[in-house]
Each structure stands twice: as structure tokens, then as C-alpha cells.
């Protein structure tokens, strides 16, 4: 039941505009998240002792911080102009309780590695399906020079697709078959990102791909594995970057022109408007330093959020909110560093974990992409929060799985009752 619920949750988050209940975007995802949170926490209580202490401690600290943000958001209903909009910030944190305990509980089952791979495959399939819809221009994904897909804004679509790219890349380099198909999936999602017209997320997505391949190349070089692959990657990297820019210029000239203007130091309209939003948001935070204006509150009629994670929490929840989100980001950075650095340098690892390590690096880059994108784009909104929590939960699960060889090799430890007859049979022969 928990696995099916997680699969349905992953499928639903790609179509928040098509899963409305009573006119609210993503309502079906929220209901599934609440169910996964209840079942996942209950399952984690029974299986949590099998999670490594480090992962369990970091996950607990992260969820405690998310819980404090929920409490602070609920209290802000007392003074918010629109109390119902505070639920946006609350649901963004609920996804953490829905995914981290549930995926951690699944990962420690006897076939946990297979179950986790199903979740990753679902993420990849849905990212490719969304990209195909955007490219073809079906339904709500009709393309002009910015496409929203079935999200509310193009930036949200860009965040979702940029979260899918590193997972596809990780599966591509670790898979033993279907590599051509996975390469096609990678190109398709990149084309969907181009069609979205989100300049920030195009840069984040392409940079994230480069970061992943650089980390994986270093991982191979440290172990002196596949030297020709490493050399080919170094040579191909600048060519791939040029190809990505050429595709952007060909398919979305406006986005390419604005991006080049920003990179050359020119003043693009989007940057000017963001600077204005940031200034207004900081002034509102300074006017309400201890309470903020209320979680999820828009900036008048100007914008629904501040387009910067830290400024948004300072504006809406004051200094306490800024402190909590800073603690959360620092915890995530600690998790990323604790996962990526030992993986790349090979500290205390055996060779069996190659596939798991590759997927771990891909999940880590997904989380990093989200944090970077939220400094310029969507500010941890409920429509995109799952693309932060799900890769983070996968990262924690991969770290835990890597400590045991059973998921990687596909072998199962024998129970006491099974071991006795096999030992007797071996002695008889």
C-alpha cells in the first residue's frame, strides 16, 4: 500500500493543474501526501532501527525543523490577510513527512533496492512524459515562448524538469542496458526544459548535468575505472554545452537572447523585476520582523512570492522563519556534503556499490538544483516542494542502502531456518 501510494504521489505531482479538487491546484497530491505521511511514519516506527544512526539523526533534525515551520505558519494565520494561503507553506513541508519516512522504510525492506528503483523509474517516466507533452503542445502545455505544462508557471515546470535530468543521467551511466533509450530520454527532457522558456532553470539544469558528470568522472578516476569514458566525457562536455545553447537559440530565441543579455552583464527585464521584488519583500520583513506578513501571503498584486527562498521566509514569517529555513538549508548542505564527498573520494567504500553511488550522486545534484533555482525562481511553493523532498529522501535512502551489500548485489541473507538445511545438504555432498 505504501509503495503504491508513493508511486501515485510521484505521478500526480507532475500535473498539479490537472489534479484540482475544489479549484485548488495539486489537491490530489496533497491528499496522497497526507496519507503517505501517516502510513510512512507508522512504518518508519517499526523499521527505523535498521536505518543507520547518522541518516536517522539528520532526517529527524530536518523533519523537526519542517515541523517548527508548520507550527509557525499555523500561528501566522492569526494575523495574515488571507489565512487560507498559509496552507501553501504548510503543505510544502508536509511533503517532507510524506516522503522521507516512507522511502526510508521502503529502503530497508528485503527487496528495498528494487522498490527504490521503481520510484526512480516513475520519476524518469513522468519527466519524459511531461517533456513530450510540452514539446507537442497538448492541453495546458500550449507553447508560445514560455510553457507551463500542467503547472501554473513556466518556472515551476522548469524546476520539475531540471530535477528529472540528473536522475536520468545517473541511470544512464549506471545502467547495463537500454542506454540508447535513456540517452533519448535525457535529450527529450532537455528539449522540454528549453521549451519551458525558464532561463534560470535552463542554466540550473545544464549546469547540474555538468556537475553530475564531473562528480561521476572524478568518482571513476579515483578508482581508476573506465579511463576512456572519463577522457571522452572531458572532451564532450564543452561540445554538449554548445549544443544545448544552440538548441535554446533555435527553439526559443527569446529565452536565448535574454540569457545572453544577462550573462554579458546587461539589464534584463526579469532581473530588474526580481530586484524590485526583493527590495519590497525585505522592506515588508523589516516592517514585521518578528511575525512577518503571514505564511504564503502574496506581495500585494505584484507577485505571489518573493522569488528567493530566504527573502520569502523573512517576509512571510519574520526573523524566526528566516532562522528556521536557514537551519533547514544548512542541514541539507551537511547531508549533501556527507553523501557526496565520501562517495567521490571512495572513503570506506567497497566496489559493489557502484550503481548505488551513481544514483546517490544524481539524487544529490537534484537537491542542489532545487536549492539553487529557489534563489531566483519559485520560493519553495507546494507545487514544486515534492521535487526537493523526493530526491532528498532518495539520497538518504541510497546512503543507508550503501552500507549494506544486499540491495546492490541482489542477494538475500538466509534466515536461520533456511541456513540449517542448506548446510546439511552441503555436508552430505
Amino acid at each position: 500500500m505504501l509503495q503504491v501510494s508513493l508511486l501515485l504521489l510521484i505521478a500526480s505531482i507532475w500535473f498539479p493543474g490537472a489534479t484540482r479538487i475544489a479549484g485548488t491546484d495539486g489537491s490530489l497530491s496533497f491528499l496522497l501526501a497526507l496519507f503517505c505521511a501517516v502510513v510512512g511514519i507508522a512504518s518508519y516506527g517499526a523499521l527505523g532501527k535498521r536505518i543507520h544512526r547518522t541518516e536517522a539523526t539528520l532526517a529527524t533534525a530536518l523533519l523537526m525543523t519542517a515541523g517548527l515551520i508548520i507550527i509557525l505558519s499555523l500561528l501566522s494565520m492569526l494575523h495574515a490577510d488571507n489565512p487560507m494561503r498559509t496552507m501553501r507553506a504548510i503543505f510544502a513541508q508536509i511533503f517532507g513527512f510524506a516522503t522521507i519516512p516512507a522511502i526510508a522504510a521502503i529502503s530497508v525492506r528485503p527487496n528495498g533496492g528494487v522498490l527504490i528503483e521503481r520510484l526512480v523509474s516513475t520519476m524518469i517516466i513522468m519527466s519524459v512524459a511531461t517533456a513530450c507533452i510540452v514539446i507537442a503542445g497538448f492541453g495546458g502545455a500550449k507553447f508560445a515562448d514560455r510553457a507551463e505544462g500542467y503547472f501554473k508557471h513556466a518556472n515551476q515546470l522548469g524546476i520539475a524538469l531540471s530535477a528529472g535530468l540528473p536522475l536520468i543521467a545517473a541511470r544512464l551511466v549506471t545502467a547495463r542496458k537500454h542506454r540508447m533509450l535513456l540517452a533519448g530520454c535525457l535529450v527529450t527532457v532537455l528539449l522540454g526544459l528549453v521549451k519551458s522558456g525558464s532561463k534560470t532553470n535552463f542554466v540550473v539544469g545544464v549546469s547540474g548535468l555538468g556537475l553530475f558528470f564531473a562528480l561521476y568522472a572524478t568518482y571513476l578516476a579515483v578508482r581508476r575505472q573506465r579511463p576512456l569514458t572519463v577522457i571522452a566525457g572531458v572532451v564532450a562536455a564543452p561540445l554538449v554545452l554548445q549544443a544545448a545553447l544552440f538548441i535554446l537559440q533555435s527553439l526559443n530565441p527569446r529565452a536565448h537572447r535574454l540569457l545572453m543579455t544577462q550573462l554579458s552583464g546587461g539589464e534584463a527585464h526579469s532581473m530588474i523585476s526580481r530586484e524590485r521584488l526583493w527590495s519590497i519583500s525585505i522592506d515588508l520583513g523589516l516592517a514585521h520582523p518578528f511575525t512577518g506578513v503571514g505564511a504564503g501571503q502574496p506581495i500585494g498584486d505584484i507577485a505571489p512570492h518573493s522569488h528567493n527562498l530566504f527573502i520569502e521566509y523573512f517576509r512571510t514569517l519574520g526573523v524566526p522563519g528566516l532562522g528556521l529555513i536557514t537551519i533547514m538549508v544548512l542541514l541539507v548542505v551537511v547531508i549533501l556534503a556527507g553523501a557526496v564527498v565520501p562517495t567521490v573520494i571512495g572513503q570506506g567504500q567497497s566496489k559493489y556499490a557502484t550503481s548505488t553511488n551513481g544514483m546517490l550522486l544524481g539524487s544529490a545534484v537534484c537537491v542542489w538544483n532545487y536549492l539553487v533555482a529557489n534563489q531566483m525562481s519559485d520560493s519553495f511553493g507546494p507545487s514544486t516542494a515534492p521535487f526537493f523532498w523526493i530526491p532528498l529522501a532518495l539520497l538518504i535512502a541510497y546512503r543507508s542502502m550503501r552500507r549494506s551489500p544486499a540491495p546492490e548485489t541482489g542477494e538475500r541473507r538466509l534466515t536461520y531456518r533456511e541456513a540449517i538445511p542448506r548446510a546439511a545438504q552441503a555436508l552430505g555432498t
Side-chain angles (χ1 to χ4, degrees):
M1 179 64 71
L2 181 57
Q3 179 191 355
V4 173
S5 300
L6 280 172
L7 292 173
L8 290 174
L9 175 62
I10 291 174
S12 67
I13 61 176
W14 292 88
F15 303 100
T19 57
R20 292 188 180 99
I21 298 177
T24 303
D25 282 1
S27 300
L28 179 60
S29 300
F30 302 152
L31 294 178
L32 287 169
L34 289 172
F35 179 79
C36 289
V38 173
V39 177
I41 291 173
S43 301
Y44 184 80
L47 300 171
K49 294 181 180 179
R50 297 171 60 183
I51 302 293
H52 192 270
R53 182 178 299 177
T54 302
E55 279 74 43
T57 301
L58 290 172
T60 301
L62 196 62
L63 292 179
M64 286 180 61
T65 307
L68 290 174
I69 291 176
I70 290 175
I71 293 173
L72 201 60
S73 299
L74 288 171
L75 291 175
S76 73
M77 297 179 79
L78 299 175
H79 62 268
D81 291 338
N82 187 347
M84 291 305 297
R85 282 187 63 88
T86 60
M87 299 303 295
R88 291 172 51 81
I90 293 169
F91 273 120
Q93 305 301 326
I94 287 292
F95 281 109
F97 291 91
T99 55
I100 289 182
I103 293 177
I106 283 178
S107 69
V108 298
R109 293 179 179 178
N111 60 340
V114 176
L115 299 179
I116 292 297
E117 288 308 300
R118 287 178 185 172
L119 300 180
V120 173
S121 297
T122 305
M123 281 287 287
I124 291 174
I125 291 170
M126 294 309 301
S127 65
V128 174
T130 301
C132 289
I133 289 173
V134 171
I135 293 170
F138 293 145
K142 187 175 181 180
F143 176 73
D145 61 356
R146 285 176 67 82
E148 297 85 11
Y150 286 93
F151 292 85
K152 185 173 288 186
H153 303 291
N155 288 339
Q156 295 175 349
L157 172 63
I159 286 176
L161 293 177
S162 65
L165 281 173
L167 289 179
I168 300 174
R171 180 65 65 82
L172 173 64
V173 299
T174 58
R176 296 181 179 179
K177 53 184 180 179
H178 306 308
R179 288 191 173 181
M180 291 301 298
L181 176 61
L182 288 167
C185 292
L186 188 67
V187 173
T188 300
V189 174
L190 184 59
L191 287 175
L193 186 58
V194 168
K195 297 285 275 185
S196 75
S198 175
K199 303 177 295 299
T200 297
N201 289 291
F202 174 80
V203 173
V204 169
V206 173
S207 301
L209 276 181
L211 176 60
F212 168 76
F213 285 118
L215 290 172
Y216 193 70
T218 306
Y219 170 86
L220 294 177
V222 168
R223 289 159 181 77
R224 299 179 181 178
Q225 297 177 357
R226 299 161 61 180
L228 293 179
T229 301
V230 176
I231 295 173
V234 173
V235 173
L239 300 177
V240 172
L241 177 59
Q242 289 296 324
L245 291 174
F246 176 76
I247 292 172
L248 181 65
Q249 184 178 16
S250 301
L251 298 181
N252 200 330
R254 174 182 174 275
H256 180 269
R257 184 177 65 255
L258 293 174
L259 177 60
M260 291 299 104
T261 299
Q262 290 179 229
L263 293 178
S264 62
E267 292 187 351
H269 172 72
S270 58
M271 279 304 302
I272 296 174
S273 61
R274 276 177 172 78
E275 290 173 358
R276 180 167 175 255
L277 278 176
W278 294 341
S279 177
I280 295 173
S281 298
I282 291 172
D283 288 341
L284 287 171
L286 292 174
H288 307 84
F290 301 108
T291 61
V293 299
Q297 302 304 298
I299 309 173
D301 297 328
I302 302 174
H305 54 82
S306 301
H307 284 75
N308 179 278
L309 181 62
F310 297 102
I311 295 176
E312 171 74 1
Y313 272 78
F314 177 56
R315 177 181 68 87
T316 57
L317 295 176
V319 174
L322 176 61
L324 287 174
I325 200 63
T326 301
I327 291 172
M328 177 177 285
V329 171
L330 288 176
L331 286 171
V332 172
V333 170
V334 169
I335 293 173
L336 290 177
V340 171
V341 174
T343 300
V344 171
I345 66 176
Q347 178 181 340
Q349 296 175 24
S350 57
K351 293 182 178 180
Y352 71 80
T354 300
S355 177
T356 300
N357 286 335
M359 296 308 302
L360 181 148
L361 293 175
S363 302
V365 174
C366 287
V367 177
W368 179 254
N369 282 357
Y370 188 90
L371 291 178
V372 173
N374 271 258
Q375 307 314 309
M376 292 284 292
S377 190
D378 190 59
S379 304
F380 215 135
S383 296
T384 63
F387 299 99
F388 165 76
W389 289 112
I390 292 174
L392 183 59
L394 291 173
L395 174 63
I396 294 172
Y398 279 124
R399 285 190 67 183
S400 182
M401 288 165 53
R402 190 178 60 189
R403 300 179 189 275
S404 172
E408 182 69 24
T409 61
E411 298 177 356
R412 183 173 60 91
R413 295 180 180 179
L414 298 178
T415 63
Y416 181 72
R417 292 182 179 179
E418 292 172 328
I420 292 177
R422 295 198 181 186
Q425 183 180 3
L427 290 173
T429 59

